[in-house]
Amino acid sequence: MKNARAERRGRRGATVLAALLLACVLLLSWLPLPAAAQGRAAASVTQMRLEQADDGIYLTAAVQFELPSLVEEVLDKGIAIYFVAEAEVFHERWYWTDRKVAQVTRHMRLAYQPLTRRWRLNVSPVPITGTAGFGVSLNQNFDSLADAMDAVKRIGRLRLGDAAEIGDEPAQQVVFRFRLDTSQLPRPFQIGVVGQADWNIVVERSAKLPLEKQR
């Protein structure tokens, strides 16, 4: 009898403990996550299109991400931030590693102009540091940060090269990368952003894209 009663008490205790654990799990599921844990939706590539024109082969891409409030605060202080978009084309080889046949990089510098209260976006094929890159960059001005970011996220007509260099296969293996480049921030900011998830905006996508003829 004593053994039976002890066994029943043990089962009741296990049942109560399981109920308490379940209640704790349910309670935690309703509690708001800390700001660092909530995070943001990860950056993603929403579009990749390969097009052949008379003067070469071009890639058009689009990315989607939310600009963290911390980065917006840095922009509001007049400090420029930089983005880099890069694309590569590979030819598959069954007997060896794939051969890279084309590569292109686009550098973007976004800065707030306090005097005009407008946003300026510089786009260049080379890094925009100091005076370098400004001489070959295209400049666009925007009335709002949202409009400027829309332009950053739309990567239009990246020229990959001539068709003779890339080939006219009906489909091409393309790797596209996009990132927020913290290496071009002022030195104190480079040290301060180390390990901060807000500055970790990076995305990569690889796809075999049909080569479309320009209409």
Side-chain angles (χ1 to χ4, degrees):
M1 293 294 293
K2 291 183 179 180
N3 290 337
R5 285 197 297 270
E7 185 178 348
R8 285 195 296 272
R9 284 197 297 270
R11 286 199 297 267
R12 285 197 298 271
T15 301
V16 171
L17 179 60
L20 288 173
L21 290 174
L22 178 60
C24 290
V25 171
L26 292 174
L27 177 61
L28 289 173
S29 68
W30 283 96
L31 290 176
L33 293 173
Q38 288 180 17
R40 304 174 309 279
S44 61
V45 180
T46 58
Q47 178 189 357
M48 289 174 63
R49 181 184 177 191
L50 202 59
E51 187 178 55
Q52 181 176 349
D54 293 338
D55 60 341
I57 293 178
Y58 293 84
L59 175 71
T60 298
V63 296
Q64 180 59 47
F65 62 91
E66 295 180 12
L67 195 65
S69 57
L70 179 60
V71 180
E72 290 190 27
E73 291 175 8
V74 170
L75 281 168
D76 288 338
K77 293 177 181 178
I79 298 171
I81 62 173
Y82 300 80
F83 298 93
V84 177
E86 181 183 35
E88 298 172 324
V89 180
F90 293 88
H91 283 180
E92 296 178 344
R93 297 188 291 191
W94 63 269
Y95 59 89
W96 199 245
T97 57
D98 294 347
R99 178 170 65 94
K100 185 191 299 184
V101 295
Q103 179 176 359
V104 64
T105 304
R106 177 175 294 177
H107 298 267
M108 292 167 281
R109 177 185 184 272
L110 178 62
Y112 180 61
Q113 310 293 312
L115 294 179
T116 61
R117 295 184 178 180
R118 303 189 76 190
W119 299 84
R120 173 170 291 180
L121 178 64
N122 300 91
V123 180
S124 171
V126 298
I128 308 172
T129 54
T131 57
F134 281 102
V136 294
S137 69
L138 297 175
N139 304 323
Q140 294 176 277
N141 293 308
F142 301 91
D143 292 328
S144 69
L145 176 58
D147 291 341
M149 287 305 303
D150 284 343
V152 169
K153 296 172 184 178
R154 293 192 305 268
I155 313 300
R157 294 181 63 79
L158 276 172
R159 189 179 187 277
L160 295 166
D162 297 327
E165 301 169 335
I166 298 174
D168 56 357
E169 287 83 358
Q172 301 281 353
Q173 185 66 37
V174 179
V175 178
F176 175 76
R177 304 181 185 91
F178 179 92
R179 60 186 170 88
L180 172 62
D181 186 9
T182 58
S183 68
Q184 297 192 60
L185 291 170
R187 194 66 181 173
F189 280 89
Q190 291 185 36
I191 298 173
V193 303
V194 173
Q196 292 194 29
D198 280 343
W199 292 89
N200 188 27
I201 298 175
V202 59
V203 63
E204 177 178 324
R205 180 177 171 185
S206 177
K208 198 160 190 176
L209 301 177
L211 184 57
E212 304 176 15
K213 302 292 184 179
Q214 187 180 50
R215 297 176 182 178

